[in-house]
Amino acid sequence: MSGSGGEAAAQCNHESPPLMPHGRRVKVIAVEEHLSTEAFLRTAHALDVIAGDEAEMALMRTVEESPVLRARLVDVDARLREMDAAGQDMAVLSLNPPGVQPYPATDAVPLARAFNDELAAIVRRYPGRFGGLGTAAPQDPAAAAAEIERVMGPLGLNGIMINSHTGGRYLDEPEFAPLLAAAEASRAPIYLHPRMLAAYRDYGMSGAVWGYQAEAGLHAMRLILSGTLDRYPGLTFVLGHLGEGIPYWLRRIDNRHAFAARTAGAATSMPRLSLTPSEYFRRNFVLTTSGMDDPDVLGLAVGAVGEDNVMFAIDFPYEDPAAAVAFLRNAPLTEDQRTALGHRTAERVFRLT
């Protein structure tokens, strides 16, 4: 990470938000913006990886060792210059995936704490330019719960990012109850970021081509259909990529869930739910645009959950900030919808001031 020499300029001289078609300037906050630090990378890359995560981590370490991508992850002053050039006011930062989840708990817990301390320092150093999503180690649910409380309390961050499955296990499973209880009590939004699964490793499907959305969508549906959101109704989950395909399926999910509950509920051990699946989705999930600069898909998502449940995101450093902001500027939205996507929903969900 570069030093603080550019701080004053970063805080005072950033460009105005982009002009929208109607001429009014709209504040732009992007909320899936990854970073790392040299200290984190040096430590993490020297650690052993838990069984089953070796292929994913080999790929991610290759990415993080690429000079160009590494610089974009760790150089905060260069990031601010790129934000200014694109007309982006603020970024909600999160640790580059898959975070600390591929490591043994004895390594992952202190690694999460150290990174969160660094992230909080970055947010403090550049007031008004960054928010932060802390990281946690679900491998140790009690420690993860304590870290969520620290992230939302003394560190003053804005939520947490969980990189979906941990050793093939998902947050609906009973062992993660302390983590979910702490997130609900602390009002910590949980950004569910995808991870790789073995079934998608062939033909390049493992990452953003297909496997990412399928894996994160699976996690979200497990949370909905398991009854987890009846036990923790105050939780807020954030899904990138305009909902990981779920908005497209909502009508069929409701229809087929009702049919299955009537005809095969006992045989399939389906929990009895208080709401329909789509009602949980609209109540407990907020979507982001990250990497989905498609006006038709955006229209579908806004129609499915409403503009007050969709936020702008870039997916830095993996997508182009200028292209993403141009999409927000030119998408066929009303003025109120553009304001909600541009900053209003993010300010509410992440309590940004």
Side-chain angles (χ1 to χ4, degrees):
M1 182 179 69
S2 65
S4 58
E7 293 171 24
Q11 293 171 26
C12 300
N13 296 329
H14 64 278
E15 297 178 3
S16 298
L19 278 172
M20 298 307 173
H22 43 69
R24 187 174 69 84
R25 293 186 179 274
V26 173
K27 183 178 181 181
V28 176
I29 300 175
V31 301
E32 188 185 320
E33 315 311 312
H34 304 301
L35 90 160
S36 194
T37 68
E38 289 292 352
F40 178 89
L41 293 174
R42 283 195 302 270
T43 302
H45 285 203
L47 296 175
D48 292 331
V49 175
I50 63 175
D53 287 350
E54 297 91 347
E56 180 179 20
M57 288 311 300
L59 174 61
M60 293 311 299
R61 286 175 174 178
T62 299
V63 168
E64 291 171 339
E65 288 165 0
S66 159
V68 172
L69 279 171
R70 191 182 187 105
R72 297 191 84 203
L73 284 168
V74 304
D75 191 336
V76 176
D77 288 335
R79 181 187 299 241
L80 283 166
R81 291 192 292 271
E82 193 164 358
M83 288 167 58
D84 292 345
Q88 177 190 344
D89 293 87
M90 190 175 190
V92 179
L93 303 174
S94 53
L95 178 59
N96 198 47
V100 303
Q101 289 167 242
Y103 304 114
T106 52
D107 296 319
V109 170
L111 189 60
R113 287 181 61 88
F115 173 79
N116 290 336
D117 289 340
E118 288 193 281
L119 176 59
I122 292 169
V123 171
R124 289 193 299 269
R125 190 177 302 130
Y126 301 92
R129 303 309 307 275
F130 295 125
L133 303 182
T135 194
Q139 305 93 306
D140 185 335
E147 189 62 10
I148 290 169
E149 292 168 357
R150 194 175 77 97
V151 160
M152 300 303 293
L155 294 187
L157 297 176
N158 307 101
I160 62 166
M161 178 170 280
I162 299 293
N163 292 283
S164 201
H165 75 85
T166 304
R169 302 185 70 81
Y170 289 88
L171 292 177
D172 59 279
E173 299 182 58
E175 67 200 78
F176 299 113
L179 186 161
L180 297 183
E184 185 178 47
S186 302
R187 296 176 60 198
I190 299 175
Y191 202 125
L192 280 182
H193 191 280
R195 286 192 66 187
M196 295 182 182
L197 281 180
Y200 301 106
R201 285 181 186 160
D202 295 335
Y203 319 121
M205 292 193 297
S206 61
V209 173
W210 185 256
Y212 269 5
Q213 66 83 18
E215 194 275 335
L218 168 67
H219 198 157
M221 290 306 301
R222 289 182 65 104
L223 289 164
I224 291 170
L225 298 181
S226 62
T228 298
L229 300 177
D230 283 335
R231 295 189 292 276
Y232 305 100
L235 284 173
T236 296
F237 289 95
V238 182
L239 283 179
H241 319 110
L242 287 174
E244 311 292 10
I246 294 174
Y248 183 90
W249 286 90
L250 279 179
R251 185 181 296 272
R252 179 168 174 81
I253 290 168
D254 278 354
N255 178 280
R256 292 297 87 193
H257 182 266
F259 176 82
R262 289 195 307 270
T263 60
T268 57
S269 301
M270 292 176 64
R272 184 181 297 275
L273 302 181
S274 300
L275 304 175
T276 65
S278 67
E279 288 172 327
Y280 292 108
F281 193 71
R282 294 184 176 100
R283 186 189 73 180
N284 294 95
F285 288 83
V286 183
L287 316 183
T288 83
T289 62
S290 54
M292 295 292 286
D293 297 347
D294 184 323
D296 294 327
V297 180
L298 177 60
L300 172 71
V302 170
V305 301
E307 64 264 24
D308 288 324
N309 283 315
V310 183
M311 300 181 282
F312 176 69
I314 295 169
D315 200 359
F316 187 94
Y318 304 106
E319 300 286 348
D320 177 22
V325 174
F327 170 70
L328 175 65
R329 180 188 302 122
N330 297 316
L333 298 165
T334 68
E335 180 175 333
D336 190 62
Q337 288 172 334
R338 206 179 314 276
T339 298
L341 268 68
H343 65 94
R344 190 176 70 211
T345 300
E347 288 167 340
R348 185 194 83 242
V349 171
F350 295 121
R351 290 185 280 169
L352 298 169
T353 58

